[in-house]
């Protein structure tokens, strides 16, 4: 992967986020990558290879939707961290199996098979509803009480 490819992919992603008002998940994904590096060096190496060989070239050269490509990366990263399933949480807080490309107003979570493991955030809509934020705080952050807020 070259620096030019990285810059082109970054520019396309930034433009897509600006057009849609979407949220940039890369800082969150970096935190998950750091955790994966510690817990599964082999899984980490696979994700980095996917990033370099597939994700960046697909956005920069093949013209794929950068938001969808990053969401697919987030799903792959979550699966590498903890096998499970992806769900979409609508604005009312109802979940359903996630099916790409999904709805831009849905929050995407990865629910690990091991129920003792917290859900992983994959995608957050530009303006999450109260129900989505409550779901995020409960399943991802593990907060159980009312009135606690978090910023993403």
């Amino acid at each position: 992967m070259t620096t030019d490819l990285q810059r082109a992919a970054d520019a396309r992603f930034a433009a897509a986020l600006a057009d849609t008002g979407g949220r940039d998940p890369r800082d969150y994904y970096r935190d998950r990558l750091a955790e994966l590096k510690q817990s599964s060096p082999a899984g980490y190496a696979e994700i980095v290879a996917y990033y370099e060989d597939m994700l960046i070239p697909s956005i920069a050269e093949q013209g794929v939707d950068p938001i969808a490509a990053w969401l697919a990366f987030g799903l792959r990263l979550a699966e590498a961290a903890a096998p499970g399933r992806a769900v979409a949480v609508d604005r009312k807080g109802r979940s359903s199996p996630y099916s790409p490309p999904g709805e831009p107003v849905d929050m995407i979570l990865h629910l690990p098979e091991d129920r003792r493991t917290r859900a992983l955030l994959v995608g957050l809509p530009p303006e999450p509803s109260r129900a989505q934020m409550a779901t995020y705080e409960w399943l991802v952050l593990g907060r159980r009480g009312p009135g606690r807020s978090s910023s993403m």
Side-chain angles (χ1 to χ4, degrees):
M1 179 181 66
T2 67
T3 304
D4 290 341
L5 222 66
Q6 181 71 54
R7 284 189 190 132
D10 287 347
R12 286 200 68 231
F13 187 50
L17 290 175
D19 287 346
T20 63
R23 292 174 176 254
D24 188 341
R26 292 177 293 182
D27 285 339
Y28 185 78
Y29 292 169
R30 283 184 196 101
D31 291 345
R32 301 302 68 80
L33 276 167
E35 292 170 4
L36 185 62
K37 187 175 186 178
Q38 294 299 313
S39 65
S40 174
Y44 173 81
E46 285 179 32
I47 291 294
V48 169
Y50 176 84
Y51 170 86
E52 292 174 347
D53 299 338
M54 301 294 291
L55 176 66
I56 297 304
S58 74
I59 295 170
E61 298 177 325
Q62 298 165 14
V64 302
D65 174 2
I67 293 175
W70 272 103
L71 189 58
F73 175 81
L75 290 166
R76 191 178 206 76
L77 175 58
E79 185 68 27
R85 63 188 174 92
V87 298
V89 179
D90 71 14
R91 296 196 53 76
K92 292 184 178 182
R94 296 177 301 211
S95 70
S96 60
Y98 173 71
S99 179
E103 297 296 326
V105 296
D106 287 348
M107 176 174 62
I108 310 303
L109 297 177
H110 177 79
L111 303 178
E113 291 171 0
D114 180 353
R115 293 181 183 252
R116 295 170 294 175
T117 304
R118 288 190 187 145
L120 299 171
L121 179 67
V122 177
L124 196 61
E127 303 222 7
S129 69
R130 294 178 118 205
Q132 287 169 325
M133 287 310 299
T135 300
Y136 170 80
E137 289 185 5
W138 183 41
L139 295 178
V140 177
L141 298 179
R143 295 182 182 157
R144 301 290 190 248
R148 295 186 180 127
S149 64
S150 67
S151 61
M152 278 253 345

